[in-house]
Amino acid sequence: MRSRTLIAVLAPFALAPFALAAGLWWAHRPGETPWHDSAVADATGTVDRLESRFDVDHLYRAEDFVHAAGQEQAVEVLQVRGETHWQTGVTLVLRVTGHGVGVNDWGERVEGTEPVCFRLNLGPERDERDDDIDCPTGDPLPVPRDPSLTGVDARLRAALTRSGPDEAAARAAVAGLELDPAVRQEITVRGGTVGVALRASQYDCLLARVGPTGATETWRPSHVQLAPGELSCSAGLALSSQFGHSVR
């Protein structure tokens, strides 16, 4: 009786290492990194934001979906099928770099990145998505990245403040910023006021104007205002009464 009692007491301790090993094996399946689930969650968040932007921008053509996806630093487009959302439907296969954290076999906190693939079926009747699919082989599609006007606002304001309401001086001031050549620049003058428009992409627009007194103002129209069919990112807009009136 005593020996049976002793066995009953010691058994849980004897089995504990095996239970721990089984738990670690389940949490960290063969072939998976300890941070796999966390990386998948991070990549999923990226695709969630990307799909929201598809909706906000009212995209429907395959090339527009590809271009928008390719602007995300962590996203690569591996495959695309179809032409338009409402007619043929568009299927995208994306490879997204996810960052994750986890615990290794020794109980240590570790972190890393790994590619996670998604299949987006956009239309024609409804949108569906498959997460964490097997990544197809092959190189990603070449998607040119748009230039950026990040950090240019203060530099442009300072340069135009120095140049004053003189068109030639304003052109020299903008040229002195040495912006990406892909940024479209437009400068015009009307009634003693210089208007400047810089456009890096559909929704990356910076406007400025310098009045006769030398006062300089800058403005970024909202995402909604820059949607196709709405306001144009132009020097004329910088000189108009709409300047500075943002809407969400």
Side-chain angles (χ1 to χ4, degrees):
M1 178 67 72
R2 184 177 178 182
S3 61
R4 291 182 181 179
T5 302
L6 184 60
I7 291 174
V9 171
L10 295 178
F13 295 97
L15 295 175
F18 298 100
L20 177 61
L24 289 172
W25 181 89
W26 177 251
H28 179 195
R29 270 82 71 191
E32 289 186 356
T33 60
W35 54 79
H36 174 77
D37 290 344
S38 179
V40 170
D42 180 57
T44 299
T46 297
V47 177
D48 288 343
R49 292 191 298 273
L50 184 59
E51 285 194 304
S52 295
R53 194 150 59 250
F54 288 168
D55 292 337
V56 170
D57 294 346
H58 303 294
L59 303 185
Y60 68 94
R61 297 185 304 174
E63 56 263 38
D64 293 333
F65 287 122
V66 170
H67 179 263
Q71 302 313 303
E72 284 279 350
Q73 289 285 17
V75 176
E76 295 175 306
V77 182
L78 298 182
Q79 296 176 353
V80 58
R81 294 193 300 274
E83 297 177 3
T84 63
H85 184 282
W86 301 117
Q87 294 175 317
T88 63
V90 176
T91 297
L92 298 177
V93 177
L94 307 178
R95 183 167 60 205
V96 183
T97 301
H99 178 270
V101 296
V103 178
N104 65 16
D105 295 344
W106 295 273
E108 301 168 331
R109 183 182 184 276
V110 291
E111 59 182 286
T113 61
E114 65 178 89
V116 185
C117 284
F118 300 79
R119 183 184 296 107
L120 280 60
N121 297 306
L122 307 169
E125 296 179 359
R126 62 180 181 274
D127 294 350
E128 298 178 335
R129 193 175 91 192
D130 299 314
D131 295 356
D132 196 15
I133 65 172
D134 291 335
C135 290
T137 58
D139 295 329
L141 302 179
V143 182
R145 296 211 181 258
D146 292 333
S148 173
L149 292 173
T150 300
V152 175
D153 303 54
R155 294 172 56 210
L156 176 63
R157 188 181 304 111
L160 293 177
T161 298
R162 290 192 296 269
S163 71
D166 179 85
E167 183 177 359
R171 290 185 181 278
V174 173
L177 298 177
E178 298 183 342
L179 301 175
D180 189 311
V183 173
R184 184 177 64 81
Q185 304 177 17
E186 185 179 333
I187 302 172
T188 191
V189 62
R190 183 191 305 156
T193 298
V194 174
V196 177
L198 305 178
R199 186 170 205 162
S201 64
Q202 177 73 43
Y203 300 100
D204 193 1
C205 168
L206 176 59
L207 303 177
R209 64 185 183 189
V210 188
T213 64
T216 304
E217 303 172 275
T218 58
W219 176 52
R220 284 182 178 267
S222 70
H223 197 102
V224 172
Q225 288 172 304
L226 293 171
E230 301 300 327
L231 299 180
S232 64
C233 181
S234 65
L237 178 59
L239 294 173
S240 75
S241 60
Q242 292 177 297
F243 181 93
H245 296 283
S246 294
V247 296
R248 289 191 172 275

